Amino acid sequence: MADDAGGNPLAPVLEAVRGAGWTTTTLSLSGVTDKAAFMERCARDLALPDWFGRNWDALADCLTDLSWAPPARGRLLVVSGWQAYAEEAPGEWRIAQEVFDSAVEHWRGAEDDEARLEIVLALGPADTERGGH
């Protein structure tokens, strides 16, 4: 797909999502090969609260209770650079996907239609731009 916005093929999508009042965040997993590094990257890139316990349950809690995050109409989380982690730690990656899926389903079932969370996996080898928390 051609990209005419700064070399990032997701730039037009991110711009449209932001234009709809959603926040966008990129979780870059480039260089991540184990659970400890995955949790550290989540803490950093998602700006998780200090109480984040760096385990699967704590990640699930943070993604289903967003009271720690600034208010937003909706949130799009783009996970990039995940392929090496999926290959190096397939069991952990399956758990991460389950946590992501559960969080998305939680917000789809919420009564407040504007408090949505969607998570997408970027398929390209390059990381998407950071920012827009």
Side-chain angles (χ1 to χ4, degrees):
M1 171 170 32
D3 174 31
D4 46 15
N8 177 0
L10 290 178
V13 173
L14 297 175
E15 185 177 322
V17 168
R18 290 179 192 133
W22 284 40
T23 62
T24 62
T25 303
T26 298
L27 172 59
S28 170
L29 297 180
S30 294
V32 170
T33 57
D34 62 23
K35 180 181 174 183
F38 176 84
M39 292 297 170
E40 283 302 317
R41 194 66 59 89
C42 285
R44 183 192 78 191
D45 287 3
L46 305 181
L48 296 177
D50 291 338
W51 53 261
F52 171 58
R54 289 168 174 73
N55 61 60
W56 299 117
D57 288 338
L59 181 60
D61 290 346
C62 286
L63 294 177
T64 57
D65 175 3
L66 295 169
S67 60
W68 54 269
R73 170 176 256 183
R75 293 172 175 82
L76 175 66
L77 172 58
V78 178
V79 182
S80 67
W82 55 271
Q83 294 90 335
Y85 180 55
E87 188 174 312
E88 290 290 322
E92 292 173 8
W93 178 241
R94 264 190 304 281
I95 295 169
Q97 288 179 292
E98 289 170 10
V99 169
F100 292 156
D101 184 55
S102 292
V104 168
E105 288 304 313
H106 168 83
W107 288 107
R108 284 185 181 162
E111 290 186 23
D112 181 1
D113 286 340
E114 294 196 358
R116 300 269 316 258
L117 171 69
E118 296 292 339
I119 301 173
V120 297
L121 302 179
L123 296 179
D127 283 346
T128 57
E129 70 180 280
R130 297 174 63 92
H133 285 272

